[in-house]
Amino acid sequence: MAAPGEAPERRPFGRRFLTDPARLFQHNAWDNVEWSEEQEASARSKVQENSSQLLPQDKQEEYEVNAKRYWDDFYKIHENGFFKDRHWLFTEFPELAPNRNSSQNGDSVHEFSNKEECNNEGLGSCENGHCSWETRAENRLNLIKSIPKICTEELATQKYGELNQSDGDYPGSSASYRILEVGCGAGNTVFPILQTNNDPGLFVYCCDFSTTAVDLVQNNVEYDSSRCFAFVHDLCNDQSPFPMPDESLDVVILIFVLSAILPEKMQCIVNRLSRLLKPGGMILLRDYGRYDLAQLRFKKGQCLSDNFYVRGDGTRVYFFTQDELDDLFTTAGLEKIQNLVDRRLQVNRGKQMTMYRVWIQCKYRKPAALSR
């Protein structure tokens, strides 16, 4: 959200004002819903109430130390059934589509398909604090075969260190367009990209903190090691190497990922990711916004710090403002292409429930190298 007194950046299509309650149950969703002052005040009051009691410091440290185990447990329970493939990606982020003819400006934003959105960021699927968020060339080293199915941090450090010292030999080194998804989960972003984008020069990297999640990706029938490399990676460990060198990526994708990280570690992570981008490369982000339904549903005793909570399953989530994200990216040396709030009303007609979702979508670009 914008700073007090500043008009928030919004989608270019029309605003929807809610004046007739009977209309609420005739449609699944409204885009770009205008909040009243009373509604925003009510949301602010709920957040003040649910954050009035912070967890003790020793408990907070426990959640940080055991973060990997909590996410492993999450994917063991849900496997790949919790999420739906994000086919809306190519509408919101045309940089991922085959022709990549994005105008790369903040006005080129299109409306989500309500059907896809309801499947993804979830009509009423807010359980346990989770709201369903939501190349062709073989590599010369054939790294996929030389590393075990699950690439542990220790093995990754050794293998990637060796590769980075060799001259240009790394997974996807022969590709002309490289995408990295951070926090890939069960692959619900990666596989739509691989299915939709048949560019022979495309190579997609994907990583996750959870070994279980990476296992799900690698065992998916759609996983193609000639076009994709999935690996375990701890973003918070700055000694944990990436399998590609700096300034080698065209796109980094962060979808409901940065919010799961301890707030004081976010800047270091964004700095690291920005170094991976080629000049002109972009970070694409979609994440939870302040006063989203998921934030308002937390109870007392689940708050870790301002706007940062722990779910019942031990995973954590932060709720951003536009300014906070802008500070993170611009401090990392990136320039803003897009930073908007997507406020949406979703209706579960069966349960006669109305749900107000708030997401933030960003595109930030690494400045092109200065011509000499």
Side-chain angles (χ1 to χ4, degrees), residues 35-45:
W35 281 30
S36 66
E37 291 182 8
E38 292 78 11
Q39 184 177 0
E40 185 140 356
S42 174
R44 189 179 304 111
S45 176

Side-chain angles (χ1 to χ4, degrees), residues 12 49 51 55 77 130 142 164 169 183-184 221 241 290 310 328:
E49 180 181 358
S51 59
L55 266 71
I77 293 169
H130 285 282
N142 204 356
N164 287 339
D169 282 329
C184 61
V221 295
R290 192 70 47 85
V310 61
L328 286 172

Side-chain angles (χ1 to χ4, degrees), residues 287-307:
D287 219 320
Y288 293 106
R290 192 70 47 85
Y291 306 146
D292 178 63
L293 168 71
Q295 182 176 18
L296 304 186
R297 285 191 172 183
F298 279 107
K299 307 299 182 185
K300 278 186 180 179
Q302 292 180 275
C303 188
L304 300 166
S305 59
D306 287 348
N307 305 295

Side-chain angles (χ1 to χ4, degrees), residues 315-354:
T315 62
R316 297 167 298 173
V317 60
Y318 186 83
F319 297 87
F320 291 100
T321 65
Q322 288 172 283
D323 287 343
E324 287 171 339
L325 286 167
D326 188 66
D327 286 343
L328 286 172
F329 291 122
T330 55
T331 298
L334 304 179
E335 57 187 20
K336 182 176 76 171
I337 303 301
Q338 180 189 85
N339 182 329
L340 59 85
V341 175
D342 180 12
R343 292 187 182 89
R344 183 165 308 223
L345 168 65
Q346 294 181 341
V347 177
N348 185 324
R349 289 181 289 183
K351 297 181 180 180
Q352 293 202 345
M353 291 173 55
T354 60

